[in-house]
Amino acid sequence: MPLDTYDKIMMLAKRRGFIYPSFEIYGGVAGFYDYGPLGSRLKLNIENLWRSFYILKDNCIEISTPTITLYEVLNASGHVDEFTDLTVDCKKCNQSYKVEDIINNISVDEAIKENKIKCPNCKTNLKDAYPINLMFSTKIGFGKVRDAFLRPETAQGIFIDFHLLYRYVREKLPFGVIQVGRGYRNEVSPRQGIIRLREFSMAEAEVFIDPENKTHPNFNKIKNLEIKLFDNIKEMKISVEKAVDKNVINNQALAYYMILTQEFLYSAGVDPEKFRFRKHSDNELAHYATECWDAELFSERFGWIECVGIADRSAYDLQSHIDSSGKDMYALRKYEEPKIVDVKKIIPKMNELGPLFKGNAGKIKSILENLEMEDSKKITINFDGKEVEIPNNCYEIVETKEKKIGDKFVPHVIEPSYGIDRILYCIIEHSFFEGKEKDEEYKILKLNPKIAPIKVGVLPLTNDDRLVSIACELDDNLRNAGIETYYDDGGSIGRRYARMDEVGTPFCITIDHDSIKDNSVTIRDRDTTKQIRKKIDELIPFLKEKIDN
Amino acid sequence: MPLDTYDKIMMLAKRRGFIYPSFEIYGGVAGFYDYGPLGSRLKLNIENLWRSFYILKDNCIEISTPTITLYEVLNASGHVDEFTDLTVDCKKCNQSYKVEDIINNISVDEAIKENKIKCPNCKTNLKDAYPINLMFSTKIGFGKVRDAFLRPETAQGIFIDFHLLYRYVREKLPFGVIQVGRGYRNEVSPRQGIIRLREFSMAEAEVFIDPENKTHPNFNKIKNLEIKLFDNIKEMKISVEKAVDKNVINNQALAYYMILTQEFLYSAGVDPEKFRFRKHSDNELAHYATECWDAELFSERFGWIECVGIADRSAYDLQSHIDSSGKDMYALRKYEEPKIVDVKKIIPKMNELGPLFKGNAGKIKSILENLEMEDSKKITINFDGKEVEIPNNCYEIVETKEKKIGDKFVPHVIEPSYGIDRILYCIIEHSFFEGKEKDEEYKILKLNPKIAPIKVGVLPLTNDDRLVSIACELDDNLRNAGIETYYDDGGSIGRRYARMDEVGTPFCITIDHDSIKDNSVTIRDRDTTKQIRKKIDELIPFLKEKIDN
């Protein structure tokens, strides 16, 4: 069987130092990969390009929070209950499978009961299916331990700091907060190589907006751009403005981050022909989302792969954390002028709440104080995911006048969430070309110069000391100017060009004997193979211009 | 009690968005901190400055491996057995303590038996002390699970890829491999704030060298620099060359990375008066180290803090992984010309090894094939940390001639390992100044412009549309040129300067009414408070020069 594109790329990736299987000397484990010297640089370049879109163009702030996350956080967010896969074990060999990997389009319970589905490994019948939680769990401390998980998303670290971040931006909406880092998902039995990892790199933005005003301040700048949508039936190209007007996309903010995503992916080197946004149907929405679009990239082996999810998480997460922690995580919609209003204030009585709610009394007191009192005589609050009725001897209601400067509300969240590893793989696949020249096979990665791990190959034509000395000095100067180089003096010049082409280096500089006299060198372009002559003095600005555009 | 410097800094850090306690709305957990918008930027800047030293000056390559690490890796490396703290629990309240935190200079067993030491929490007697492993553990997969830990260091991810990385550098020593990322240590009861974290950021370099040649190619460039050493009795300043000649530092390579560390820390803004290298005494060496120097930084509350460890790990790690995995992780010291030599080759017999060693037979076969046969008649190998004798019916010895191109050996490793969080805290403390001016208290962080999270405050003097429009355009241009800015139009200009001083912003640009006419602005220097006037066109190169030096 001939190798497919995925096999070819993963072989190249391993041979040339992009991607290695993790723990290989101990037999490896599915779902884990290492980034080698070139892969790690490519990944950093993609992440930094991403940051430039979110920090420069969109003025987001960035934070960095632990990967180990308290049980309480992920219980409040719904992950303890909802972040699950339906799983099934073999009765004989005990191998576990994700149900959707082995069963299609038929009722699971029925299929298992009637033994229609056998273990793919040993062909025995399967036990009953059951949901398993996909978070890696661990414990903090000794003796009195705290339960914790490795984070399934970086988002929760942002949500639980909302009150601090809202103060940092001086209490103005909208504002976006990004986080770049590791996420974890203990897949039952991952079988798709680098596409389905148990530990992966994410880049997420949580943009907090006023639910009554889901516009975006930069919408006008991008409204005429065309966006590529797929509604599960057909693809269409449509202007962002039209998509919002016709309610294909629910609101401006969601549409803005979709087009930002499209621009970022094109800029990183994704083939526009292998890109589209697909809308989630209602039954595939995550537990926290009201609308979600996936940016999908096409790969030869796996078909359309979800690489970015852009979700409207509404008030789900902040409200959940308010309910569970009792803390004030509201935003304020200020009036032009303060108003004097009649209010019914709830005055909690700790001497009644204490015996009734024990350790939770303080939290409940704080929830009651923040409650907007309405007409009903009965007070029911959300606490730890449960409805709790507060007996009326536990509080007093006082009617009073109060100066009010605005309305409190729970912001909504638009979340663009990027899977960096999948994007990286797809960029390599979209950049991969191979062919034959003079009976020699060659492979080229046409990586965008912006993200290429090596920008310039520095190649002295011979080992002549004078050439080597010019080449070394040039190499130093380029590196000091922040241009990643690879110095290579081994083998024929054609062989060296080929080595650089294969890892996506956009430019090669050859230092030859004329360089000694004319202080000039030859620059070869990877994609055209055209060569031009340039003064050494002019190289750095020339290359910077080429790399940044 | 007045606040000490640590308290003041942590309050400023929280108020201004550098550092937040993690999971605060759920009560927090010791040993976890979040980096807010300014802290996260400061950390990235420090990491990138560090990279520039190791990648630009030292030509290291970078890789990125999972934080979840297989049991087999950390068992081979000795962490399962050795990465422990002696711990003791209270008989009554069950609180756990690290023994060295509560007992000084007396025999632990004796102290506990004679009830000399009580629980610091409830004053009850303590149970017997016992060692606990400090790694966070977790499990990969379901059904057939694999045991794993969160990595205690990034180093092991590099060691187990040695064979791939050695091929990447085309089999030449020395070469260095860096990794920047999270490390984990499940501290028993951390009580030192951000100085003792359970999840932290590390930057490590593993430099592979020939044990017969522990020199460094760049040693000549740095040999005259003075290094600040403390031999546990007195401090001394001595040239790097002298330190190696007098064997104060064991070898050139170790000395080279010490001076690189000193240069990096000074460049990042560490106060040279609060810096020294301290040598580990024999009884404090880690299980893998033959010599180790700590770069220590002084802090007012904690005294001298270990922030960087520079260890000679000898062949310990690679040899352990060779022994445990049976894989070829050797380097080759090539001869000038190939030699024909007499060799005794071991030919393993799988039909004998199989029944005897079962699943391990393959590994043992591979170890035997790689063994250099010496005179002894008995073959004993290291396998999984144990000495295993191989019965002589399991192999044949064949005497033959072979073309040999060099000697195989296990490289030694010099490891500079940096604790980024501690360095970041110390830099803030060393940069922190406070005082009074006109009865107003002020605080300044004199951060080095290279690492300051915000480089330039952009301050329109009034809300005049014309000033605002110039200021916004300038802000955009600076950000697009890669210069981090903060746009601030709120409050008096003095108040705005003070806000920028407090977070370490080295320059403020004020746009005033003259700017409309003369296209110039005022630049204020944080440290001198001097102001100069500059044309807007000349700003970017002027600021870049100031920031990079």
Side-chain angles (χ1 to χ4, degrees):
Chain A
M1 204 171 68
L3 297 176
D4 75 354
T5 307
Y6 179 80
D7 286 331
K8 284 182 193 168
I9 285 171
M10 292 308 281
M11 281 172 63
L12 184 151
K14 184 170 179 198
R15 187 165 45 79
R16 295 306 308 274
F18 283 92
I19 299 166
Y20 307 133
S22 299
F23 321 120
E24 193 188 31
I25 64 170
Y26 292 105
V29 188
F32 293 93
Y33 280 89
D34 295 352
Y35 287 100
L38 295 181
S40 138
R41 175 60 47 188
L42 178 60
K43 181 162 159 284
L44 273 179
N45 290 348
I46 292 173
E47 287 168 352
N48 286 334
L49 180 65
W50 185 85
R51 280 194 175 95
S52 78
F53 274 76
Y54 278 85
I55 293 181
L56 281 183
K57 295 206 179 181
D58 196 48
N59 234 323
C60 288
I61 53 181
E62 179 169 3
I63 72 167
S64 175
T65 69
T67 57
I68 294 179
T69 305
L70 267 195
Y71 174 88
E72 286 83 343
V73 175
L74 293 160
N75 188 40
S77 70
H79 284 86
V80 170
D81 291 332
E82 308 278 353
F83 194 67
T84 56
D85 266 351
L86 203 58
T87 305
V88 66
D89 300 336
C90 172
K91 284 183 175 167
K92 182 177 162 205
C93 75
N94 221 24
Q95 181 74 45
S96 302
Y97 302 95
K98 186 170 164 178
V99 166
E100 66 174 61
D101 281 350
I102 57 169
I103 301 180
N104 283 320
N105 292 327
I106 41 171
S107 152
V108 175
D109 288 343
E110 201 180 303
I112 293 171
K113 268 200 193 97
E114 297 176 10
N115 294 324
K116 282 186 187 158
I117 303 293
K118 310 270 179 188
C119 171
N121 181 33
C122 75
K123 311 302 171 200
T124 307
N125 295 336
L126 297 166
K127 303 180 193 167
D128 286 343
Y130 58 98
I132 50 125
N133 192 288
L134 298 176
M135 292 191 288
F136 285 98
S137 72
T138 191
K139 291 185 187 304
I140 302 169
F142 299 92
K144 293 179 181 170
V145 298
R146 302 285 299 263
D147 286 324
F149 300 99
L150 298 183
R151 64 182 178 198
E153 55 176 5
T154 70
Q156 296 302 327
I158 297 173
F159 296 140
I160 61 175
D161 282 348
F162 171 76
H163 55 303
L164 299 163
L165 298 165
Y166 184 54
R167 198 168 70 195
Y168 179 84
V169 298
R170 301 205 219 159
E171 306 183 353
K172 277 180 201 144
L173 290 186
F175 73 99
V177 184
I178 64 170
Q179 184 159 201
V180 180
R182 300 287 170 91
Y184 304 82
R185 187 181 166 103
N186 196 4
E187 295 284 351
V188 178
S189 55
R191 284 145 209 273
Q192 291 169 282
I194 196 155
I195 301 306
R196 193 163 288 283
L197 294 177
R198 284 168 157 155
E199 176 170 345
F200 43 88
S201 289
M202 321 178 73
E204 297 192 299
E206 309 304 320
V207 184
F208 298 97
I209 60 176
D210 184 336
E212 293 187 2
N213 178 17
K214 291 189 168 183
T215 60
H216 191 281
N218 293 338
F219 188 76
N220 265 332
K221 289 189 195 166
I222 53 88
K223 67 181 182 187
N224 295 322
L225 294 176
E226 288 213 315
I227 193 162
K228 234 179 121 181
L229 303 179
F230 176 67
D231 63 3
N232 292 304
I233 298 166
K234 63 178 189 317
E235 285 193 10
M236 53 183 141
K237 272 190 177 172
I238 179 172
S239 83
V240 183
E241 187 172 34
K242 238 182 225 161
V244 175
D245 284 350
K246 293 189 169 174
N247 207 23
V248 181
I249 301 171
N250 177 273
N251 60 68
Q252 274 195 14
L254 197 56
Y256 175 83
Y257 290 100
M258 287 171 67
I259 199 77
L260 195 70
T261 297
Q262 181 176 306
E263 299 277 288
F264 159 71
L265 290 172
Y266 288 178
S267 167
V270 158
D271 181 347
E273 295 300 312
K274 297 178 179 171
F275 165 86
R276 69 182 189 191
F277 280 110
R278 189 181 67 78
K279 190 172 184 169
H280 276 210
S281 54
D282 288 346
N283 62 8
E284 59 179 324
L285 283 173
H287 65 275
Y288 47 71
T290 60
E291 176 165 337
C292 184
W293 290 85
D294 284 345
E296 296 186 326
L297 303 179
F298 188 78
S299 95
E300 291 195 18
R301 180 185 288 188
F302 305 108
W304 288 99
I305 304 171
E306 167 200 350
C307 290
V308 185
I310 304 172
D312 187 335
R313 293 179 79 132
S314 71
Y316 178 85
D317 298 278
L318 288 182
Q319 189 63 57
S320 303
H321 289 300
I322 291 171
D323 293 345
S324 299
S325 72
K327 292 291 187 302
D328 179 352
M329 301 183 88
Y330 298 91
L332 192 71
R333 200 179 295 119
K334 278 192 187 163
Y335 306 139
E336 306 244 321
E337 295 289 328
K339 295 180 191 170
I340 305 297
V341 290
D342 295 319
V343 289
K344 291 182 185 169
K345 273 195 90 73
I346 303 171
I347 313 288
K349 296 183 183 168
M350 270 310 269
N351 58 340
E352 302 285 349
L353 287 172
L356 209 54
F357 295 105
K358 308 258 163 37
N360 291 323
K363 278 189 197 172
I364 286 176
K365 172 169 180 279
S366 142
I367 294 175
L368 289 175
E369 285 169 343
N370 279 298
L371 219 57
E372 302 268 321
M373 189 59 194
E374 278 157 41
D375 282 330
S376 84
K377 292 250 156 63
K378 211 173 69 179
I379 298 185
T380 308
I381 61 169
N382 258 312
F383 185 72
D384 257 355
K386 277 171 293 208
E387 299 254 302
V388 177
E389 198 182 320
I390 309 294
N392 57 16
N393 64 325
C394 291
Y395 56 88
E396 222 179 306
I397 291 183
V398 179
E399 298 198 12
T400 174
K401 286 192 187 299
E402 208 172 53
K403 190 167 118 179
K404 212 175 157 192
I405 58 167
D407 293 321
K408 290 206 303 185
F409 65 98
V410 182
H412 279 203
V413 169
I414 303 291
E415 175 195 74
S417 172
Y418 294 65
I420 297 294
D421 314 276
R422 291 179 171 194
I423 292 172
L424 182 146
Y425 170 76
C426 288
I427 287 173
I428 296 182
E429 187 178 310
H430 295 187
S431 310
F432 179 75
F433 297 88
E434 57 182 344
K436 271 196 175 188
E437 202 169 289
K438 292 177 200 150
D439 280 348
E440 287 240 354
E441 286 194 0
Y442 70 85
K443 295 184 173 61
I444 300 189
L445 283 188
K446 296 195 175 178
L447 294 174
N448 188 325
K450 265 192 200 119
I451 60 153
I454 304 167
K455 311 297 188 200
V456 180
V458 177
L459 322 174
L461 193 64
T462 72
N463 281 332
D464 183 323
D465 278 351
R466 292 168 302 173
L467 300 195
V468 169
S469 134
I470 296 173
C472 285
E473 194 189 330
L474 177 59
D475 189 54
D476 264 5
N477 291 342
L478 292 171
R479 293 164 71 85
N480 279 316
I483 298 171
E484 293 102 340
T485 64
Y486 187 82
Y487 184 92
D488 191 356
D489 57 6
S492 77
I493 198 76
R495 191 74 211 91
R496 285 185 265 169
Y497 284 153
R499 277 204 287 263
M500 288 289 95
D501 286 349
E502 197 180 44
V503 298
T505 306
F507 308 104
C508 282
I509 295 178
T510 311
I511 297 92
D512 57 29
H513 284 91
D514 288 341
S515 304
I516 304 167
K517 287 171 260 163
D518 68 1
N519 236 348
S520 295
V521 292
T522 302
I523 305 176
R524 170 184 177 273
D525 182 290
R526 175 195 64 205
D527 300 339
T528 64
T529 75
K530 290 227 170 84
Q531 307 197 4
I532 58 167
R533 193 100 188 143
K534 270 270 167 207
K535 289 272 176 213
I536 289 178
D537 293 346
E538 298 163 5
L539 273 181
I540 290 177
F542 174 81
L543 289 168
K544 284 212 163 181
E545 166 80 26
K546 286 264 188 192
I547 292 164
D548 289 340
N549 285 300
Chain B
M1 204 170 70
L3 297 176
D4 74 353
T5 307
Y6 179 79
D7 286 331
K8 284 182 194 168
I9 286 172
M10 292 307 282
M11 279 173 64
L12 184 151
K14 186 173 176 196
R15 188 166 42 82
R16 296 305 311 272
F18 282 93
I19 299 167
Y20 307 133
S22 299
F23 321 119
E24 193 188 31
I25 63 169
Y26 292 105
V29 189
F32 293 93
Y33 280 88
D34 295 352
Y35 287 100
L38 295 181
S40 137
R41 175 60 47 188
L42 178 59
K43 180 162 160 283
L44 273 179
N45 290 347
I46 292 173
E47 287 169 353
N48 285 334
L49 180 66
W50 184 85
R51 280 194 175 95
S52 78
F53 274 77
Y54 278 85
I55 293 180
L56 281 182
K57 294 205 178 179
D58 197 48
N59 234 321
C60 288
I61 53 182
E62 179 169 3
I63 72 168
S64 176
T65 69
T67 57
I68 295 179
T69 306
L70 267 195
Y71 174 88
E72 287 82 344
V73 174
L74 293 159
N75 188 40
S77 69
H79 285 86
V80 170
D81 292 332
E82 309 276 354
F83 193 67
T84 56
D85 267 350
L86 204 57
T87 304
V88 66
D89 299 337
C90 171
K91 284 181 177 168
K92 184 179 159 201
C93 75
N94 221 24
Q95 180 75 45
S96 303
Y97 303 96
K98 188 170 163 179
V99 165
E100 66 174 63
D101 281 349
I102 57 169
I103 302 180
N104 282 319
N105 291 326
I106 42 171
S107 151
V108 175
D109 290 342
E110 203 177 302
I112 293 172
K113 269 204 190 91
E114 297 175 11
N115 294 324
K116 282 185 187 162
I117 303 293
K118 310 270 179 187
C119 171
N121 181 33
C122 74
K123 313 301 172 197
T124 308
N125 295 335
L126 297 166
K127 302 179 194 170
D128 286 343
Y130 58 98
I132 51 126
N133 192 288
L134 297 176
M135 291 191 289
F136 285 97
S137 73
T138 192
K139 291 185 188 303
I140 302 169
F142 299 91
K144 292 178 181 169
V145 299
R146 303 284 299 262
D147 286 323
F149 301 100
L150 297 184
R151 65 184 177 197
E153 54 176 9
T154 71
Q156 297 302 327
I158 297 174
F159 296 140
I160 61 175
D161 281 348
F162 171 77
H163 56 302
L164 298 163
L165 298 165
Y166 184 54
R167 197 169 70 192
Y168 179 83
V169 300
R170 300 205 223 159
E171 307 184 352
K172 277 180 201 145
L173 292 188
F175 72 98
V177 184
I178 66 171
Q179 183 159 202
V180 179
R182 300 288 170 91
Y184 304 81
R185 187 182 165 105
N186 197 2
E187 295 283 352
V188 178
S189 55
R191 282 145 210 274
Q192 291 169 284
I194 196 156
I195 301 307
R196 193 163 289 282
L197 292 178
R198 283 167 159 156
E199 175 169 346
F200 42 89
S201 290
M202 324 178 70
E204 298 193 299
E206 311 302 321
V207 184
F208 299 96
I209 59 177
D210 184 336
E212 292 186 3
N213 178 17
K214 290 189 168 183
T215 59
H216 191 282
N218 293 338
F219 189 75
N220 264 333
K221 289 189 195 164
I222 53 88
K223 67 181 182 187
N224 295 322
L225 294 175
E226 286 211 316
I227 193 162
K228 234 178 119 182
L229 303 179
F230 176 68
D231 63 3
N232 292 304
I233 298 165
K234 61 178 191 318
E235 283 194 9
M236 55 181 141
K237 271 190 178 173
I238 179 173
S239 82
V240 183
E241 187 173 34
K242 240 183 222 161
V244 175
D245 284 351
K246 291 188 170 176
N247 207 24
V248 180
I249 301 171
N250 177 274
N251 59 67
Q252 274 194 13
L254 197 54
Y256 176 82
Y257 289 99
M258 288 171 66
I259 199 76
L260 194 70
T261 296
Q262 181 176 306
E263 299 276 289
F264 160 71
L265 290 173
Y266 288 179
S267 167
V270 159
D271 180 349
E273 294 302 311
K274 297 177 178 171
F275 165 86
R276 70 183 189 191
F277 280 110
R278 190 180 67 78
K279 190 173 184 168
H280 277 208
S281 54
D282 288 347
N283 62 10
E284 60 179 321
L285 283 173
H287 66 274
Y288 48 71
T290 61
E291 177 166 336
C292 184
W293 290 85
D294 283 345
E296 296 186 326
L297 302 179
F298 188 78
S299 94
E300 290 195 18
R301 180 185 289 188
F302 306 107
W304 289 99
I305 305 171
E306 168 199 350
C307 290
V308 186
I310 304 173
D312 186 336
R313 294 179 79 132
S314 71
Y316 178 85
D317 298 277
L318 288 182
Q319 188 64 58
S320 303
H321 290 301
I322 292 171
D323 294 345
S324 299
S325 72
K327 290 292 188 301
D328 180 352
M329 301 183 87
Y330 298 91
L332 192 70
R333 201 179 294 120
K334 278 193 186 162
Y335 306 139
E336 307 243 321
E337 295 287 329
K339 294 180 191 171
I340 305 296
V341 290
D342 295 319
V343 288
K344 291 182 185 169
K345 275 195 89 74
I346 302 171
I347 313 289
K349 297 183 185 167
M350 271 309 270
N351 57 342
E352 302 285 347
L353 287 171
L356 209 53
F357 294 105
K358 308 256 162 37
N360 292 322
K363 279 189 194 172
I364 287 175
K365 172 169 180 276
S366 142
I367 294 175
L368 290 175
E369 285 168 343
N370 280 298
L371 220 58
E372 301 269 317
M373 189 57 194
E374 278 157 40
D375 281 331
S376 84
K377 292 253 155 65
K378 211 173 69 178
I379 298 183
T380 308
I381 61 168
N382 259 311
F383 185 72
D384 255 354
K386 279 171 291 205
E387 298 254 299
V388 178
E389 199 181 318
I390 308 295
N392 57 15
N393 63 326
C394 291
Y395 56 88
E396 222 178 308
I397 292 183
V398 180
E399 300 197 13
T400 173
K401 285 189 188 302
E402 208 172 55
K403 192 166 114 177
K404 211 175 157 191
I405 59 168
D407 293 320
K408 289 207 305 187
F409 65 98
V410 182
H412 279 203
V413 169
I414 303 291
E415 175 194 74
S417 172
Y418 294 65
I420 296 295
D421 314 274
R422 291 179 171 194
I423 292 171
L424 182 145
Y425 170 76
C426 289
I427 287 173
I428 295 183
E429 187 178 311
H430 294 187
S431 309
F432 179 75
F433 296 89
E434 55 181 347
K436 272 197 176 187
E437 201 169 287
K438 295 176 199 152
D439 282 347
E440 286 240 357
E441 286 195 0
Y442 69 86
K443 296 183 172 64
I444 299 190
L445 282 190
K446 296 195 173 178
L447 294 175
N448 189 325
K450 264 192 202 118
I451 60 154
I454 302 167
K455 311 298 187 199
V456 180
V458 177
L459 321 175
L461 192 64
T462 71
N463 281 331
D464 183 322
D465 277 351
R466 291 168 303 172
L467 301 196
V468 169
S469 132
I470 296 174
C472 286
E473 193 189 332
L474 177 57
D475 190 54
D476 263 5
N477 290 342
L478 291 171
R479 293 164 70 87
N480 281 315
I483 298 172
E484 293 103 339
T485 65
Y486 187 82
Y487 184 92
D488 191 356
D489 57 6
S492 77
I493 198 77
R495 191 71 213 94
R496 285 185 265 167
Y497 284 153
R499 277 204 288 261
M500 288 288 95
D501 285 351
E502 199 181 46
V503 298
T505 306
F507 308 105
C508 282
I509 295 178
T510 311
I511 297 92
D512 56 27
H513 284 90
D514 288 342
S515 304
I516 303 167
K517 287 169 260 163
D518 68 1
N519 235 346
S520 295
V521 292
T522 303
I523 305 176
R524 171 183 177 273
D525 181 291
R526 175 195 64 205
D527 300 340
T528 63
T529 73
K530 290 227 171 86
Q531 308 197 4
I532 58 168
R533 193 98 189 146
K534 270 268 166 210
K535 288 271 175 215
I536 289 178
D537 292 345
E538 297 163 5
L539 273 181
I540 289 177
F542 174 81
L543 288 168
K544 284 213 160 181
E545 165 80 26
K546 287 264 187 192
I547 292 164
D548 290 340
N549 285 301

Short mmCIF file of all heavy atoms in Angstrom, two decimals, chain B residues 100-115:
data_model
loop_
_atom_site.label_atom_id
_atom_site.label_comp_id
_atom_site.label_asym_id
_atom_site.label_seq_id
_atom_site.Cartn_x
_atom_site.Cartn_y
_atom_site.Cartn_z
N GLU B 100 11.53 19.51 57.37
CA GLU B 100 12.52 20.58 57.50
C GLU B 100 11.89 21.95 57.75
O GLU B 100 12.59 22.88 58.15
CB GLU B 100 13.49 20.61 56.31
CG GLU B 100 12.82 20.98 55.00
CD GLU B 100 13.85 21.14 53.86
OE1 GLU B 100 14.50 20.14 53.54
OE2 GLU B 100 13.95 22.25 53.31
N ASP B 101 10.60 22.07 57.53
CA ASP B 101 9.94 23.34 57.83
C ASP B 101 9.72 23.54 59.33
O ASP B 101 9.59 24.67 59.80
CB ASP B 101 8.56 23.43 57.15
CG ASP B 101 8.68 23.78 55.67
OD1 ASP B 101 9.79 24.16 55.25
OD2 ASP B 101 7.67 23.67 54.96
N ILE B 102 9.62 22.44 60.09
CA ILE B 102 9.27 22.61 61.50
C ILE B 102 10.34 22.09 62.45
O ILE B 102 10.27 22.30 63.65
CB ILE B 102 7.90 21.97 61.85
CG1 ILE B 102 7.86 20.48 61.49
CG2 ILE B 102 6.77 22.69 61.13
CD1 ILE B 102 6.63 19.77 62.05
N ILE B 103 11.35 21.40 61.94
CA ILE B 103 12.39 20.86 62.82
C ILE B 103 13.76 21.31 62.33
O ILE B 103 14.07 21.14 61.16
CB ILE B 103 12.36 19.31 62.84
CG1 ILE B 103 10.99 18.83 63.29
CG2 ILE B 103 13.45 18.76 63.72
CD1 ILE B 103 10.85 17.33 63.33
N ASN B 104 14.55 21.88 63.22
CA ASN B 104 15.88 22.32 62.81
C ASN B 104 16.97 21.64 63.64
O ASN B 104 16.87 21.59 64.86
CB ASN B 104 16.03 23.83 63.02
CG ASN B 104 15.35 24.58 61.91
OD1 ASN B 104 15.43 24.18 60.75
ND2 ASN B 104 14.65 25.63 62.28
N ASN B 105 17.98 21.14 62.95
CA ASN B 105 19.23 20.76 63.64
C ASN B 105 19.11 19.69 64.73
O ASN B 105 19.99 19.59 65.56
CB ASN B 105 19.86 22.00 64.30
CG ASN B 105 20.39 22.92 63.23
OD1 ASN B 105 20.85 22.47 62.19
ND2 ASN B 105 20.28 24.22 63.50
N ILE B 106 18.05 18.99 64.80
CA ILE B 106 18.04 17.87 65.74
C ILE B 106 17.56 16.63 65.00
O ILE B 106 16.95 16.73 63.94
CB ILE B 106 17.12 18.10 66.96
CG1 ILE B 106 15.82 18.75 66.51
CG2 ILE B 106 17.79 18.93 68.03
CD1 ILE B 106 14.77 18.81 67.59
N SER B 107 17.86 15.49 65.57
CA SER B 107 17.46 14.25 64.92
C SER B 107 15.93 14.19 64.86
O SER B 107 15.23 14.35 65.86
CB SER B 107 18.00 13.06 65.70
OG SER B 107 17.14 11.95 65.52
N VAL B 108 15.42 13.93 63.69
CA VAL B 108 13.98 13.96 63.47
C VAL B 108 13.27 12.91 64.31
O VAL B 108 12.33 13.21 65.06
CB VAL B 108 13.67 13.71 61.98
CG1 VAL B 108 12.18 13.62 61.78
CG2 VAL B 108 14.28 14.81 61.15
N ASP B 109 13.76 11.66 64.20
CA ASP B 109 13.07 10.58 64.90
C ASP B 109 13.02 10.85 66.40
O ASP B 109 12.00 10.66 67.06
CB ASP B 109 13.79 9.25 64.64
CG ASP B 109 13.57 8.81 63.20
OD1 ASP B 109 12.64 9.33 62.56
OD2 ASP B 109 14.34 7.96 62.73
N GLU B 110 14.16 11.29 66.91
CA GLU B 110 14.27 11.57 68.34
C GLU B 110 13.27 12.66 68.74
O GLU B 110 12.52 12.52 69.71
CB GLU B 110 15.69 12.07 68.60
CG GLU B 110 16.18 11.90 70.01
CD GLU B 110 17.64 12.38 70.09
OE1 GLU B 110 18.47 11.82 69.33
OE2 GLU B 110 17.89 13.32 70.85
N ALA B 111 13.28 13.73 67.98
CA ALA B 111 12.41 14.86 68.30
C ALA B 111 10.95 14.44 68.35
O ALA B 111 10.20 14.82 69.25
CB ALA B 111 12.59 15.97 67.27
N ILE B 112 10.56 13.61 67.39
CA ILE B 112 9.15 13.19 67.36
C ILE B 112 8.85 12.23 68.50
O ILE B 112 7.84 12.35 69.18
CB ILE B 112 8.80 12.57 65.99
CG1 ILE B 112 8.87 13.67 64.92
CG2 ILE B 112 7.43 11.93 66.01
CD1 ILE B 112 8.74 13.17 63.51
N LYS B 113 9.78 11.27 68.70
CA LYS B 113 9.53 10.29 69.76
C LYS B 113 9.41 10.94 71.12
O LYS B 113 8.58 10.57 71.93
CB LYS B 113 10.66 9.25 69.78
CG LYS B 113 10.30 8.08 68.90
CD LYS B 113 10.98 6.79 69.24
CE LYS B 113 10.69 5.83 68.10
NZ LYS B 113 11.71 5.88 67.05
N GLU B 114 10.28 11.92 71.36
CA GLU B 114 10.26 12.55 72.69
C GLU B 114 9.24 13.68 72.76
O GLU B 114 9.24 14.46 73.70
CB GLU B 114 11.67 13.03 73.04
CG GLU B 114 12.66 11.86 73.13
CD GLU B 114 14.08 12.32 73.34
OE1 GLU B 114 14.27 13.52 73.62
OE2 GLU B 114 15.00 11.48 73.22
N ASN B 115 8.42 13.78 71.73
CA ASN B 115 7.37 14.81 71.69
C ASN B 115 7.91 16.23 71.89
O ASN B 115 7.27 17.08 72.48
CB ASN B 115 6.27 14.53 72.72
CG ASN B 115 5.52 13.26 72.36
OD1 ASN B 115 5.31 12.99 71.18
ND2 ASN B 115 5.15 12.47 73.36
#
